Amino acid sequence: LLTFFKEIDIDISEAKGLFHLLDRDSSGVLDADEFLSGCLRLRGPARSLDLQLVMCELSEHRRYMKKICQTLNGMQVVEPKLSDGPPMQQQNQ
């Protein structure tokens, strides 16, 4: 694998990020199709890898924000009622 990474101009320290990029279905396992199609997307200088990593992270953040928005849209905002009189006092029992 070291030779392969050297051939496609990827530093070995970027292997973890590369794995996550290639693992498109987030299964934790790379099948041959994911590996080959991912490597073809990353041809060229290492800058391509950097861009792909940013795009992957952006996609993850977008999914996270969508979940937050869905949660917030499902919440009801309850506004306190204002009364004309003085605040209620608690009675000691």
Side-chain angles (χ1 to χ4, degrees):
L1 273 178
L2 292 175
T3 305
F4 176 74
F5 284 147
K6 207 176 236 185
E7 285 294 319
I8 61 172
D9 197 25
I10 293 177
D11 189 84
I12 191 66
S13 66
E14 298 171 328
K16 186 175 181 179
L18 175 63
F19 177 83
H20 288 292
L21 270 177
L22 298 178
D23 186 20
R24 299 290 274 187
D25 61 1
S26 300
S27 65
V29 177
L30 288 179
D31 61 30
D33 184 53
E34 284 177 316
F35 182 77
L36 290 175
S37 65
C39 287
L40 289 174
R41 280 194 324 270
L42 296 173
R43 284 186 300 187
R47 290 183 303 245
S48 298
L49 174 60
D50 296 333
L51 181 58
Q52 288 291 324
L53 282 168
V54 169
M55 289 172 61
C56 184
E57 288 178 19
L58 179 60
S59 179
E60 289 177 28
H61 289 290
R62 187 176 292 142
R63 283 191 298 273
Y64 180 70
M65 291 301 297
K66 185 176 181 180
K67 286 181 183 179
I68 290 173
C69 288
Q70 288 171 341
T71 300
L72 291 174
N73 285 335
M75 297 174 84
Q76 288 184 334
V77 177
V78 178
E79 294 183 24
K81 289 185 178 182
L82 300 176
S83 66
D84 293 331
M88 296 181 66
Q89 296 178 355
Q90 287 185 331
Q91 294 178 347
N92 292 337
Q93 293 181 355

